[in-house]
Amino acid sequence: MATMKDVALSAGVSTATVSRALMTPEKVSLTTRKRVENAIIETGYSPTTLTRTLRRNESKTIVTIVPDICDPYFSDILRGIEDTAVENGYIVLVGDSSQQQKREHSFVNLVYTKQVDGMVLLGSDLPFNASRQEQKNLPPLVMACEYAPELELPTVHIDNLTAAFEAVNYLTKLGHKRIAELSGPEDSALCQFRHQGYQQALRRAGITMNGAYIHYGDFSFEAGAKAISQLLSLSSPPSAVFCHNDIMAIGAIQKAKQMGFRVPQDISIMGFDDIEFSQYCEPSLTTISQPRYEIGRQSMLMLLELLKGHDVRSGSRLLESSLVIRESTAPPKNH
């Protein structure tokens, strides 16, 4: 196997120059780059696909960073990204950041070393610290799902405020006055928008918000189960709960039933996302449907535009969501 040293000898340059020619070709003169390129072909040196990378300065690979690969919410989005990538001759690496900044840094290094051409982020956290000014020099980046207004990044998302308003407004129309909210993490922009929608729907119905009815969770089944057991133990429990995702809503349904409550007769439970499980749980879940495959498709199309050099830096594509009424919600008993 040829080494970088062999390439350096063949090209008559130092190994540092070979490394630079591979990693940051723009910092090497054209003649030196050509010599290194010819030496690579001559020696057959090929770490990963660097010969191809060097010739075209692109890897035809993108990386998608997912906050939690086990969350079924992301599966359709990933499929949308992958199908669109493959149609355009790209392959997709998937990285599960699990909220670990260190692992996210290793994904970013893939971009800086030209092993991938760009990134799609499925969470709201930038995998590196970058002020607005520095963001101008970042590799091609698109955000899917979450919209972080302070980041001037192209984004594909739904209107979370309006969607949450629709969900809670539906519960008030059924006659519910004691409506709890099971939010995702308090610092998440997406959850803040959904909380605003919840507040606006209560205000529209003339209902005063009750602080005891607001719980925060981490989008897990356990969070849903824990919150519902606390809510149903209150002296004046809610008659309905609006959950920020289906997983927490399904966890809440399961726990409520274990505690001897009937869903929806004793408590109505509303989800958000319309993951596949939501139509198969018992009772089936009333929820907000997000066009998840389309979110994936559009974010990859946006990244392709960026890779072609088109300026979509602060563009935003807003997709439609819709209320899906199933069996987990009904008018309150005393209505």
Side-chain angles (χ1 to χ4, degrees):
M1 286 291 286
T3 64
M4 198 181 275
K5 206 168 180 179
D6 299 329
V7 176
L9 282 169
S10 174
V13 295
S14 68
T15 49
T17 303
V18 174
S19 181
R20 254 201 309 282
L22 293 172
M23 302 309 183
T24 48
E26 62 279 359
K27 291 185 179 166
V28 178
S29 74
L30 198 60
T31 49
T32 305
R33 206 191 311 173
K34 272 271 168 270
R35 269 165 47 207
V36 171
E37 195 174 333
N38 292 335
I40 282 173
I41 294 162
E42 202 175 287
T43 58
Y45 175 67
S46 179
T48 66
T49 50
L50 277 175
T51 45
R52 187 178 65 180
T53 305
L54 181 63
R55 283 204 298 273
R56 301 193 200 146
N57 202 14
E58 57 178 16
S59 65
K60 287 292 186 186
T61 305
I62 67 124
V63 68
T64 301
I65 296 185
V66 190
D68 179 4
I69 212 156
C70 299
D71 187 336
Y73 166 73
F74 294 112
S75 55
D76 270 352
I77 297 173
L78 287 169
R79 196 172 294 135
I81 292 171
E82 181 141 47
D83 287 354
T84 312
V86 169
E87 281 164 22
N88 289 278
Y90 282 79
I91 57 170
V92 181
L93 298 178
V94 179
D96 181 353
S97 70
S98 300
Q99 314 304 336
Q100 288 175 10
Q101 208 74 15
K102 202 165 79 193
R103 275 168 63 183
E104 290 189 339
H105 277 299
S106 60
F107 302 138
V108 177
N109 288 338
L110 289 174
V111 179
Y112 287 134
T113 57
K114 302 282 195 292
Q115 290 175 67
V116 299
D117 298 333
M119 301 173 94
V120 181
L121 302 176
L122 301 193
S124 62
D125 293 334
L126 258 191
F128 29 73
N129 299 322
S131 66
R132 257 189 197 185
Q133 207 39 52
E134 288 168 325
Q135 281 174 37
K136 300 279 179 283
N137 310 316
L138 289 179
L141 264 177
V142 171
M143 289 185 86
C145 326
E146 298 214 22
Y147 173 58
E150 71 283 3
L151 302 176
E152 292 179 357
L153 292 174
T155 310
V156 182
H157 61 115
I158 63 160
D159 182 341
N160 282 287
L161 192 155
T162 304
F165 173 86
E166 250 188 275
V168 180
N169 189 50
Y170 171 71
L171 293 172
T172 66
K173 289 277 199 315
L174 284 176
H176 291 280
K177 291 184 170 55
R178 299 193 316 277
I179 303 169
E181 178 187 38
L182 177 44
S183 168
E186 199 170 352
D187 58 357
S188 153
L190 167 142
C191 296
Q192 286 161 10
F193 285 125
R194 289 179 194 174
H195 177 63
Q196 286 170 27
Y198 165 77
Q199 284 178 301
Q200 285 184 17
L202 293 186
R203 211 173 295 134
R204 164 77 64 90
I207 299 166
T208 309
M209 197 173 76
N210 179 347
Y213 284 173
I214 295 168
H215 281 250
Y216 295 93
D218 59 1
F219 291 129
S220 66
F221 290 115
E222 294 78 11
K226 185 180 167 195
I228 201 78
S229 59
Q230 290 171 353
L231 287 165
L232 291 174
S233 305
L234 292 171
S235 54
S236 174
S239 61
V241 184
F242 163 56
C243 302
H244 279 202
N245 76 333
D246 289 346
I247 295 278
M248 290 195 295
I250 293 166
I253 288 175
Q254 191 64 17
K255 185 65 177 175
K257 291 197 304 193
Q258 281 170 8
M259 292 169 73
F261 291 90
R262 295 166 305 155
V263 181
Q265 295 90 331
D266 301 324
I267 179 123
S268 285
I269 295 178
M270 163 83 73
F272 202 112
D273 290 339
D274 197 23
I275 61 171
E276 209 174 345
F277 293 171
S278 60
Q279 52 188 308
Y280 296 111
C281 64
E282 179 52 46
S284 58
L285 187 64
T286 300
T287 186
I288 293 287
S289 177
Q290 294 204 53
R292 297 194 314 284
Y293 183 87
E294 195 55 24
I295 288 173
R297 203 175 84 81
Q298 291 293 339
S299 55
M300 186 63 209
L301 289 172
M302 221 176 206
L303 185 59
L304 289 167
E305 287 297 300
L306 276 179
L307 293 173
K308 286 177 193 152
H310 300 160
D311 187 28
V312 288
R313 270 278 151 208
S314 50
S316 179
R317 288 182 195 171
L318 202 58
L319 302 182
E320 291 295 312
S321 60
S322 58
L323 177 65
V324 179
I325 297 162
R326 295 199 182 100
E327 294 159 355
S328 68
T329 47
K333 273 193 300 196
N334 55 7
H335 186 54

